[in-house]
Amino acid sequence: MGIVLKQSLNNTLITYSGFAIGALNLLFLYTRFLSDEYFGLVNVILSASSVLMPILAFGIPNTLVKYYSGFQERNGKDGFLTLMVFLPLTYCTFGAISYLANETIGNFLSKENPIVKGYVWHIFIIGVAMAYFEVFYAWAKVQMKSVFGNFMKEVFSRIVISVLLLMVYWDVISVLTFLNAMVGMYILRTLIMQAYALRSLRLKLNFSFPANTREILTYSTLIILGGSAAIVLLEVDKVMINQFIEIKNVAYYSVAGYIATVIAVPSRSMHNITYPLTAEILHKKDITALKTLYQKSSLTLFIVSGLIFILIVLNLNDLYNLLPESYRSGYVIVFIIGFARVYDALLGNNNAIMYNSDFYRALLLMGVALAILTILLNLWLIPKYGLDGAAIASFMAFFIYNSIKLGFVKWKFGIQPITKETLRLYFFCWHYRPFFTLYPFLSTLCSTLP
């Protein structure tokens, strides 16, 4: 576990630094330097790009992690890596479709908010850049080098955004130039990650593809569904808010959602290294080691994420007092999404087990079904309850999805993440709950309920 602890610590420090910069951007710079409408537009562009990204990546990031350790000879690795680089080029097909359907897509996205119509290409180009960034990030992770990629993902992009927002404030650039520069930043980030990945593991083109290429292609194709389903669970709420109510509400929802997302930082940091380790353990069929990693990752993340959730809840009133008046109505959103994130942390490296096992097909189908359910829940709840409805829809989708994954791993592998230590921690917190003095916050929360 030495490499896990070392890189998880480094990744946690980097990720929290990134989130601190992101908090500065989202809570203070965006809210003061851009109008609510343009801030909402930025979130719609980035969320739509994130939804598009798994399709453009062709499932390659997960495929790299799953299959790389299975190739022992250099020639086999070269053929495999060549395949991994060229498969995502299928995005050219989607580019042609997007070009032909640009007007239709623009009309659909701008149904409620006409401002979105002129930014379809921003969505597509950022989606492509995100896809190839994830490919080369996975390329580095299979070499157990996750720290630099995490820095580029969590810190670099946010620092550039901070600089661009300050340039908007100083009237060096216009808001429209800012939106174009944001696209350029995502492209630059991908090029830097590519250079680093190829330096750590050089690509020697070899078009003699592996004997199990058909299996790899099948896995990658199915991962597109799984990746899309996962992203839909995370990002589609913002896109759908744009379809029903004014785009400035996306900005309000994003601020509340970002506060709750801080709870997920430890999970993201640890998963960067537990993914390849889980793939290696599954390749060796070592269930004992898998159970140990599963339970340790679960307990660690539950402790850290639960503590962060409590700290956020206790300080939420003070935090909202720092924001402009229009952003102070997200108590329900923070509480509901935050609770979902804690449950997600309790599952430890469950995702890594599912995606790297032979049972990934069943999970992908479940994920697609739940992504559809998420969309239907948003269609029902957003018009009825507005932003709180989007949060409720996300919570219901996450709760169902994570419960299914928890049961599936128990059924197929005979292991589960909850131990005696988990239960002791839970009952300790419940016994001493008055110490946390949640009552003033809960009073405020109840007053905001629809």
Side-chain angles (χ1 to χ4, degrees), residues 25 28-43 161 164-165 168-169 173-176 178-179 182 251 324 327:
N25 291 344
F28 301 102
L29 302 188
Y30 271 122
T31 56
R32 288 167 172 80
F33 299 166
L34 295 185
S35 67
D36 294 356
E37 184 180 43
Y38 273 106
F39 184 17
L41 175 62
V42 169
N43 280 286
I161 291 296
L164 292 175
L165 286 169
V168 170
Y169 175 70
I173 61 175
S174 67
V175 174
L176 298 181
F178 167 81
L179 293 171
M182 183 175 68
Y327 289 88

Side-chain angles (χ1 to χ4, degrees), residues 419-439:
T419 62
K420 292 180 180 178
E421 286 76 16
T422 309
L423 297 176
R424 285 172 185 163
L425 176 66
Y426 173 80
F427 287 116
F428 174 83
C429 292
W430 179 256
H431 181 71
Y432 289 101
R433 66 191 184 280
F435 172 77
F436 297 116
T437 60
L438 295 177
Y439 304 111

Side-chain angles (χ1 to χ4, degrees), residues 5-294:
L5 292 174
K6 182 178 179 180
Q7 292 206 33
S8 291
L9 177 60
N10 290 334
N11 282 326
T12 298
L13 294 175
I14 288 171
T15 305
Y16 269 113
S17 298
F19 264 73
I21 300 169
L24 174 67
N25 291 344
L26 206 68
L27 304 180
F28 301 102
L29 302 188
Y30 271 122
T31 56
R32 288 167 172 80
F33 299 166
L34 295 185
S35 67
D36 294 356
E37 184 180 43
Y38 273 106
F39 184 17
L41 175 62
V42 169
N43 280 286
V44 170
I45 290 173
L46 295 180
S47 293
S49 298
S50 297
V51 171
L52 187 61
M53 182 271 291
I55 300 173
L56 302 178
F58 207 85
I60 297 305
N62 293 86
T63 305
L64 259 170
V65 172
K66 177 175 173 63
Y67 286 99
Y68 179 80
S69 60
F71 294 95
Q72 303 300 325
E73 296 181 2
R74 181 65 202 184
N75 286 338
K77 287 184 178 180
D78 289 336
F80 172 68
L81 294 174
T82 301
L83 180 65
M84 295 296 96
V85 168
F86 281 93
L87 269 181
L89 289 176
T90 51
Y91 76 78
C92 292
T93 304
F94 292 99
I97 294 172
S98 297
Y99 178 77
L100 294 173
N102 182 68
E103 187 72 16
T104 303
I105 295 171
N107 289 334
F108 173 75
L109 292 175
S110 61
K111 178 182 176 182
E112 180 68 27
N113 299 288
I115 192 174
V116 180
K117 187 172 182 179
Y119 295 92
V120 174
W121 277 108
H122 288 66
I123 293 171
F124 176 75
I125 294 172
I126 291 176
V128 171
M130 286 179 171
Y132 260 100
F133 176 85
E134 292 298 333
V135 169
F136 288 111
Y137 188 13
W139 191 289
K141 281 195 283 189
V142 296
Q143 301 301 307
M144 299 298 174
K145 296 179 179 179
S146 64
V147 176
F148 180 77
N150 197 35
F151 172 82
M152 293 302 297
K153 185 172 184 176
E154 304 291 355
V155 177
F156 173 81
S157 56
R158 292 184 170 108
I159 289 177
V160 174
I161 291 296
S162 298
V163 173
L164 292 175
L165 286 169
L166 289 171
M167 292 173 72
V168 170
Y169 175 70
W170 291 325
D171 290 326
V172 176
I173 61 175
S174 67
V175 174
L176 298 181
T177 303
F178 167 81
L179 293 171
N180 292 329
M182 183 175 68
V183 176
M185 181 274 292
Y186 277 98
I187 295 173
L188 176 62
R189 185 184 72 162
T190 300
L191 294 175
I192 295 173
M193 190 68 233
Q194 176 186 0
Y196 175 81
L198 294 180
R199 183 180 178 184
S200 63
L201 178 61
R202 292 188 178 277
L203 172 64
K204 182 178 180 181
L205 293 178
N206 182 352
F207 292 95
S208 297
F209 296 143
N212 60 339
T213 294
R214 183 174 180 179
E215 176 188 344
I216 292 171
L217 291 175
T218 300
Y219 179 81
S220 295
T221 303
L222 290 171
I223 283 295
I224 293 174
L225 298 176
S228 298
I231 293 295
V232 164
L233 291 173
L234 291 170
E235 300 289 349
V236 77
D237 45 4
K238 298 171 193 172
V239 178
M240 295 189 69
I241 289 170
N242 169 67
Q243 297 299 105
F244 291 102
I245 51 182
E246 289 183 271
I247 198 169
K248 63 183 181 181
N249 288 282
V250 180
Y252 308 150
Y253 184 85
S254 297
V255 167
Y258 187 87
I259 295 171
T261 301
V262 174
I263 298 167
V265 174
S267 299
R268 292 172 62 174
S269 302
M270 184 175 286
H271 291 342
N272 286 331
I273 193 62
T274 56
Y275 256 78
L277 279 176
T278 303
E280 186 175 353
I281 290 172
L282 285 169
H283 182 71
K284 295 177 180 178
K285 302 184 185 303
D286 189 346
I287 300 300
T288 301
L290 184 65
K291 179 180 180 180
T292 300
L293 183 60
Y294 192 24

Side-chain angles (χ1 to χ4, degrees), residues 384-404:
K384 193 170 184 178
Y385 297 113
L387 301 185
D388 292 344
I392 295 169
S394 294
F395 172 79
M396 292 174 66
F398 267 107
F399 183 82
I400 295 170
Y401 188 51
N402 285 334
S403 297
I404 290 175

Side-chain angles (χ1 to χ4, degrees), residues 264 267 271 339-348 351 398 402 405:
S267 299
H271 291 342
F339 194 76
R341 295 293 186 182
V342 173
Y343 184 32
D344 192 53
L346 182 63
L347 269 65
N351 272 340
F398 267 107
N402 285 334
K405 290 191 296 181

